[in-house]
Amino acid sequence: MGRTSDAREKILTAAQSLIELRGYSALGTAEICKVAGVPKGSFYYFFESKEALALAVLDEHWATQRREWTRILSGEAEPLQRLRQLFEETEAGQRAGQQSCGTVSGCMFGNLTLEMSNQTEAIRERLQQIFDAQVDMVEEVIIGARERGEVAVSDTREGARSVVAQLEGQVLFAKLYNDTGRLKPLWTNCLAILGARMPEEVSAAN
Amino acid sequence: MGRTSDAREKILTAAQSLIELRGYSALGTAEICKVAGVPKGSFYYFFESKEALALAVLDEHWATQRREWTRILSGEAEPLQRLRQLFEETEAGQRAGQQSCGTVSGCMFGNLTLEMSNQTEAIRERLQQIFDAQVDMVEEVIIGARERGEVAVSDTREGARSVVAQLEGQVLFAKLYNDTGRLKPLWTNCLAILGARMPEEVSAAN
């Protein structure tokens, strides 16, 4: 039983790095098993299909990221500072990835959205759930900031969606230009999008 | 000669729609030729490689989009209204695509950035050039708006990058949720990011 779950874990880990490097479509199950160091025949023992594997990779990646987002966004800091910390840790994470593999790999959820969402409805649905959950978490912080009179945004849902959209857009450019510096404007833009009323702190942050 | 360039054009057109539907990695040259209705052997007469075809598709798609962006962004309207028109026409274009093929296909440049930019340097470089040109065009409009005292942004380059990043981010979500309504906040967010000083007009626009 120990060895069995090892093999599943190895396939998942190999698939996650291969998807980060090359996307989903370009991969075959034989290659994944080879990189995982498990017999080719064992793939379908653990996963019904390549799509089932992709869903498992998404779930595992989101479980990890959700823990980080929860730690940051449900933390003790003032609401807007939590958003700032989210952007700073995102930048640090992308920088660490760049140092270990030479290029900024971006956001796996954004990558698979643009590669896959129009091809399999199961993956589209899972990615929608993940981004909905991200927007929920950001919206809760925005509501907290609004209760303190720190932001002027009227539609907190749309505000949260726009903050996440700006994050995905800048991460896309960080990947394209292999430059994590592209993530620097996130905090200032977030304050602008939310109509935050702290011009002194904004200028101090730059 | 007429038939020769016809075949090249047919391959390009088939490749463009197949890439919009399924991305780049999943395609083979045989399938592209089949959809184009040209003999399989003719592919390498026109294109050195599948990568060369992808570059030609990007060039052709950008030539078309650049004409549209130039018409809008170098038009007669006041600077900020030109940006507004860009967002409205982007939304209308995505809606038309959705009506004709059932799903929002998003931005080909963004799609290929997230699918391909870490895999081939030639494609990365071409996509960088295209997005640099988009940012140039948007920045020129922002400079025009700043000269009229309509925006407060200090770094016009970074402002233009953030406007294009917000566009890519919201287009990503329009694709994921198959909902062009996701593009609605672009104008308001653009004004916020640029520190535009026209609250009455903003509320009139909503």
Side-chain angles (χ1 to χ4, degrees):
Chain A
M1 193 56 194
R3 290 184 61 196
T4 297
S5 57
D6 266 12
R8 187 179 186 278
E9 213 40 60
K10 281 179 183 168
I11 294 175
L12 268 178
T13 307
Q16 172 153 349
S17 15
L18 287 169
I19 286 175
E20 291 222 313
L21 282 173
R22 311 221 320 266
Y24 170 85
S25 307
L27 298 183
T29 55
E31 182 186 10
I32 295 167
C33 290
K34 196 175 164 192
V35 171
V38 303
K40 190 179 152 186
S42 64
F43 184 89
Y44 290 99
Y45 178 78
F46 297 109
F47 300 98
E48 200 175 284
S49 61
K50 199 180 137 196
E51 182 183 291
L53 170 68
L55 293 172
V57 168
L58 285 174
D59 287 344
E60 183 141 311
H61 192 60
W62 174 231
T64 307
Q65 195 185 95
R66 182 199 280 273
R67 274 193 298 275
E68 290 165 14
W69 280 47
T70 302
R71 172 180 54 77
I72 298 165
L73 295 180
S74 307
E76 293 295 310
E78 295 181 3
L80 290 175
Q81 292 302 323
R82 286 181 236 154
L83 289 177
R84 183 180 190 169
Q85 195 186 338
L86 178 71
F87 303 138
E88 287 174 353
E89 295 207 17
T90 299
E91 191 182 335
Q94 293 290 333
R95 211 181 308 117
Q98 185 189 32
Q99 278 157 5
S100 78
C101 68
T103 52
V104 172
S105 63
C107 165
M108 177 192 276
F109 307 128
N111 296 346
L112 287 178
T113 291
L114 294 197
E115 187 190 347
M116 294 307 301
S117 65
N118 278 356
Q119 290 176 65
T120 104
E121 286 305 313
I123 291 180
R124 184 202 293 275
E125 202 179 302
R126 193 65 53 95
L127 286 165
Q128 286 179 351
Q129 289 161 356
I130 290 168
F131 280 115
D132 283 347
Q134 289 191 354
V135 169
D136 285 345
M137 293 165 88
V138 170
E139 189 185 9
E140 209 174 307
V141 179
I142 294 173
I143 290 170
R146 199 173 61 173
E147 280 165 3
R148 298 161 56 103
E150 291 171 354
V151 298
V153 67
S154 56
D155 184 336
T156 54
R157 189 78 191 159
E158 194 167 281
R161 283 178 179 160
S162 295
V163 167
V164 177
Q166 178 72 215
L167 179 62
E168 285 298 316
Q170 300 280 21
V171 166
L172 181 150
F173 287 116
K175 177 173 175 175
L176 177 62
Y177 293 89
N178 195 22
D179 175 10
T180 57
R182 295 284 175 142
L183 305 176
K184 287 258 177 290
L186 282 170
W187 167 239
T188 315
N189 288 343
C190 168
L191 294 179
I193 287 168
L194 300 179
R197 303 272 175 249
M198 2 189 287
E200 326 75 43
E201 293 186 42
V202 175
S203 52
N206 285 323
Chain B
M1 193 57 194
R3 290 184 60 196
T4 298
S5 58
D6 266 14
R8 187 179 186 278
E9 214 39 59
K10 281 179 184 166
I11 294 174
L12 270 177
T13 307
Q16 172 154 349
S17 15
L18 287 168
I19 287 174
E20 291 221 315
L21 282 173
R22 309 220 321 263
Y24 170 84
S25 307
L27 297 183
T29 55
E31 183 186 9
I32 295 167
C33 291
K34 195 174 165 194
V35 171
V38 304
K40 189 178 152 186
S42 65
F43 184 89
Y44 291 99
Y45 178 78
F46 297 108
F47 301 98
E48 202 175 282
S49 60
K50 198 180 137 196
E51 181 182 291
L53 170 68
L55 293 172
V57 167
L58 284 174
D59 287 343
E60 184 142 309
H61 192 61
W62 174 230
T64 306
Q65 194 185 96
R66 183 199 278 274
R67 276 194 297 277
E68 289 165 13
W69 280 46
T70 302
R71 171 179 56 76
I72 298 166
L73 296 180
S74 307
E76 294 294 311
E78 293 180 6
L80 291 175
Q81 292 302 322
R82 285 180 238 156
L83 289 177
R84 182 179 188 172
Q85 196 185 337
L86 179 70
F87 302 138
E88 287 174 353
E89 295 207 15
T90 299
E91 190 181 336
Q94 293 290 334
R95 211 180 308 118
Q98 186 189 32
Q99 277 157 5
S100 78
C101 69
T103 52
V104 171
S105 62
C107 165
M108 179 192 276
F109 307 128
N111 296 347
L112 287 178
T113 291
L114 294 196
E115 187 189 348
M116 294 307 301
S117 66
N118 278 357
Q119 290 176 66
T120 105
E121 284 306 314
I123 291 179
R124 184 202 292 274
E125 203 179 300
R126 193 64 54 95
L127 286 165
Q128 286 179 351
Q129 289 161 357
I130 291 168
F131 279 116
D132 284 347
Q134 290 191 354
V135 169
D136 286 344
M137 293 166 88
V138 170
E139 188 185 9
E140 211 175 305
V141 178
I142 295 172
I143 290 171
R146 197 173 61 172
E147 280 165 3
R148 297 162 58 104
E150 291 171 355
V151 297
V153 66
S154 56
D155 184 336
T156 54
R157 188 80 192 158
E158 194 168 280
R161 283 177 179 160
S162 295
V163 167
V164 177
Q166 177 72 213
L167 179 60
E168 285 299 316
Q170 300 279 22
V171 166
L172 181 150
F173 287 116
K175 178 174 174 173
L176 178 60
Y177 293 89
N178 195 22
D179 176 9
T180 57
R182 294 285 175 143
L183 305 176
K184 287 258 178 287
L186 281 170
W187 167 238
T188 315
N189 289 344
C190 169
L191 294 178
I193 288 168
L194 299 178
R197 302 273 175 249
M198 7 189 285
E200 326 76 41
E201 295 186 39
V202 174
S203 52
N206 285 325

